[in-house]
Amino acid sequence: MTTVTVSSDGGVLTLSDGTRTARFHAIWLRDNAWDAQTRSPGNGQRLITLADIPKDTRIATAAMSGAMLRLSFAPDGKTVEFDPAWLLDRSYDRAQDRRPGWTSPGIETWDAGLTHAVPTGDFASVSADPLALCHWLGGVARYGFGKLLGGPVEDGALMRVVDLFGYVRETNYGRHFEVRTTVNPTNLAYTGLGLQAHTDNPYRDPVPTIQVLYCLESSAAGGENMVVDGFRAAERLREESPAGFDLLTQHCARFEYAGEAGVVLRSRRPMIELAPDGELVAVRFNNRSAAAITDVSFDKMEGYYAAYRRFGEIIDDPAMEVTFRLNPGECFVVDNTRVLHARKGYSGTGTRWLQGCYADKDGLLSRLAALSVREAAE
Amino acid sequence: MTTVTVSSDGGVLTLSDGTRTARFHAIWLRDNAWDAQTRSPGNGQRLITLADIPKDTRIATAAMSGAMLRLSFAPDGKTVEFDPAWLLDRSYDRAQDRRPGWTSPGIETWDAGLTHAVPTGDFASVSADPLALCHWLGGVARYGFGKLLGGPVEDGALMRVVDLFGYVRETNYGRHFEVRTTVNPTNLAYTGLGLQAHTDNPYRDPVPTIQVLYCLESSAAGGENMVVDGFRAAERLREESPAGFDLLTQHCARFEYAGEAGVVLRSRRPMIELAPDGELVAVRFNNRSAAAITDVSFDKMEGYYAAYRRFGEIIDDPAMEVTFRLNPGECFVVDNTRVLHARKGYSGTGTRWLQGCYADKDGLLSRLAALSVREAAE
């Protein structure tokens, strides 16, 4: 039984479906109307601006009409209808204060315990079956990474992975880059050195939000890949040292890369980034490209460095890492705003050849959302 | 005369060149060393992690050796040299508290007064002359937009503009998109409607940071372009209403676009985004794709809407806008994290055909920095 009441001044509507109750302001309701004069029926885009809505908008009448809530507004007499469930799903009449570092309900943080439950897809299946793709992308969205097995062993095959969910983000490294040992490397990635767990390109703003690393040759000893959930690492830091967590979230670090001619990339962003309401939205961590930190005051710098050190120790803790070896035709996809990746050193006989590229997470999430809608409808 | 002293516990070095004095912590100095064991001489990337530096690192000795500052650290005996000027340029021994909404010294906010001083380049000059390109890109970086005149009137010419400074960011709209009136438009941009000043794709995260709009046909009446400095608008809001400014910076808005099949793009980001230390870093404003705002508590929603309305009024104020008409072969480039663009409605006889595409600002700033280094060296 849906009930609706309006405050005496017409400013606030209270809606209840028997289970959920929420208050909505007149201006919010008018702005979020879905009639054909407010929103384009074809593409859903809003046709008016806030300036088109009278400043003193208030609710004149409100009543259920069948399953729909019918409202009229003063002073302009505008009439609109809402699905009460749509409104209650968008209730803002609730406590909004959460502890800094909270994560979206759509994600789950993890440590080494995920080793035997890594989101894994089969290249042929996810390419042919939207349901398989939806499940695999859902895992990538939830855990921030996923593996894809059984792909072709051919130059450029990683582009077929990107085609599954989005578009390549081209950079100074090209549309894709070759990860193998080279002489006079412009980047330490192109050596046999082990690399501490890191996010890629923190000196870019925005950073590439997705990375694909695709294996074409893998006969050298060593070179295993590791991934670490930067969000779990941030949560651990917050538990151990709330003050240290605050230092890393409330100050900008700096990153720089100028390892090739004509390129001077610099950024100023926090190592642990929160939305203004405290949601954990990104981690940037990369010893190779960390530049001098100058945005922390003298009296806080020692504490900042202690937190930075501890954050690195947590990231280096084997209890945090999922390790695997990619074979030719296998790849992994990481959310580069969240999951750090690393590789063990390699050398000696044999070869190790990966191809990497960047793409964007919004495209991946869009594809997932569209596939999920389709799933739900079937 | 450079002087240097070390605190009795070896924790802090005080450096002065007679004009500037600054204190540096031992751990900061060790971490930022530039010797060949710490930083790769070829590409400048750091070869060690913080875990490789003893936790109790302190300065054992410090003395000038010619023009260089020579330091040794305990307990490991590590010796490094610094250019004192390099250190003093990176001083963090200063007050770090600034009023929220401060802007980088590299930028200048503007209003309609910029109309006759728009950063403008000539296509042939900036294509051929690095100095001309450096000056034009410098203007785009400082003001957040710039015009380029005298370009070819040919399909795809906008790609030659992007080639000047970076890489196309491909999206669901393609590598580029056609801005002209279409039947059943997936986006209101593809109609003759006037569009309120907006930033593009706020429903994407990250948003495209650069947009290029290139004119190929322009015989219809109307359709003028306008740009508004979102940073100046944010500054005005802050002056008029500090509380309103705080509401827009401290809460996330939501944006959504699902106007074509297979695309469901959603984001949750503030309309005015600050770095954790208050630097103004981005503005998102788009009436067409603003979704229901649910991350503001009930008791703050009316105030939020009042601030949102006022921000829109400031953006709509003609005193804020620079208006111009693009002729075939002319284009403009905007920093889509800062400068809003709009167009007046058009209709009737004649045609209006623009091509647009997205690119990334970090590439533009990198190109500018590299060209500036080259300028300085010549």
Side-chain angles (χ1 to χ4, degrees), chain B residues 147-158:
Chain B
K147 285 166 68 179
L148 205 51
L149 309 180
V153 184
E154 61 187 38
D155 186 5
L158 80 172

Side-chain angles (χ1 to χ4, degrees), chain B residues 71-150:
Chain B
L71 299 181
S72 71
F73 295 96
D76 61 359
K78 175 79 183 173
T79 306
V80 301
E81 286 194 341
F82 282 102
D83 175 349
W86 188 92
L87 285 175
L88 290 167
D89 287 346
R90 283 156 187 79
S91 168
Y92 55 90
D93 191 4
R94 53 188 164 77
Q96 301 271 359
D97 288 338
R98 287 185 271 194
R99 187 171 168 216
W102 59 273
T103 54
S104 160
I107 72 161
E108 211 170 306
T109 66
W110 48 266
D111 59 17
L114 190 72
T115 298
H116 300 292
V118 169
T120 303
D122 172 70
F123 185 88
S125 302
V126 301
S127 301
D129 174 9
L131 180 61
L133 179 59
C134 184
H135 286 178
W136 181 65
L137 293 178
V140 174
R142 174 165 296 275
Y143 297 103
F145 90 109
K147 285 166 68 179
L148 205 51
L149 309 180

Side-chain angles (χ1 to χ4, degrees), chain A residues 309, chain B residues 10-11 26-27 30 53-59 73-76:
Chain A
R309 176 183 293 271
Chain B
I27 186 69
R30 175 65 193 90
I53 302 176
K55 205 166 186 166
D56 59 345
T57 287
R58 56 199 184 277
I59 302 157
F73 295 96
D76 61 359

